[in-house]
Amino acid sequence: MQTMKSAGKSLMEALVCAQSEARLTVGVYESAKIMTEDPDSVSFCVLATDEQFEWDVALQIHFTLIQSFCFDNDISIVRVSDTQRLADIVGDKAEQLEDAHCVLITNPADGSWEDPALEKLHLFCEESRRLNDWVPEISLPER
């Protein structure tokens, strides 16, 4: 099984690649909108929280709904516990930290591409599900 460390590296690579190709959606509400309007376009979901947001009931409800949606639509999903690190990777403004709790990677419009890092993540999630870890938590590498 792929280690958590290599999964974190793959996640970072997939996020950077998707961002460079404008295939990232950042934010709980923006993500929910994409999932509702075009669920087939979603390839991967990242949920991020840390101690600061652990007791945010509304956020936890959103997470539960997003997880259910991902399970129903066969979308791979992981958790990361460092919201600030995720915001550093996907955001370009400090205020995006507030919104970096959910990040979606969508498929390219032409459907003609394979991202090796994303493929590794899908395999990692598949292996985790076999071990009854439905939303595996991985750590993003430091800079």
Side-chain angles (χ1 to χ4, degrees):
M1 182 167 171
Q2 191 176 186
T3 66
M4 197 166 81
K5 188 173 183 177
S6 67
K9 186 173 183 281
S10 295
L11 176 58
M12 195 172 91
E13 290 170 7
L15 289 168
V16 169
C17 176
Q19 186 175 38
S20 72
E21 297 173 0
R23 295 184 295 104
L24 276 189
T25 301
V26 179
V28 172
Y29 296 106
E30 293 80 357
S31 297
K33 187 176 176 196
I34 297 263
M35 289 176 155
T36 305
E37 291 173 0
D38 191 7
D40 292 339
S41 73
V42 179
S43 177
F44 201 82
C45 179
V46 181
L47 297 178
T49 191
D50 48 36
E51 290 174 4
Q52 177 184 350
F53 298 100
E54 211 170 89
W55 304 108
D56 184 331
V57 175
L59 185 63
Q60 297 308 320
I61 290 170
H62 286 298
F63 277 10
T64 300
L65 294 171
I66 289 168
Q67 288 172 21
S68 296
F69 187 87
C70 289
F71 298 152
D72 289 348
N73 290 279
D74 288 327
I75 298 167
S76 294
I77 181 171
V78 296
R79 273 186 182 257
V80 297
S81 60
D82 189 344
T83 309
Q84 181 63 58
R85 181 70 183 112
L86 183 62
D88 290 346
I89 294 169
V90 302
D92 49 15
K93 302 178 207 88
E95 63 263 18
Q96 281 193 310
L97 170 62
E98 284 299 311
D99 243 9
H101 294 292
C102 183
V103 177
L104 297 181
I105 298 175
T106 53
N107 297 314
D110 62 9
S112 65
W113 127 120
E114 288 294 318
D115 179 351
L118 204 50
E119 285 305 308
K120 287 179 188 171
L121 284 170
H122 286 303
L123 286 171
F124 175 78
C125 289
E126 205 174 284
E127 291 169 359
S128 296
R129 283 191 297 273
R130 268 192 243 122
L131 300 171
N132 286 326
D133 185 0
W134 294 92
V135 185
E137 187 168 317
I138 58 180
S139 299
L140 291 163
E142 295 303 313
R143 289 173 209 210

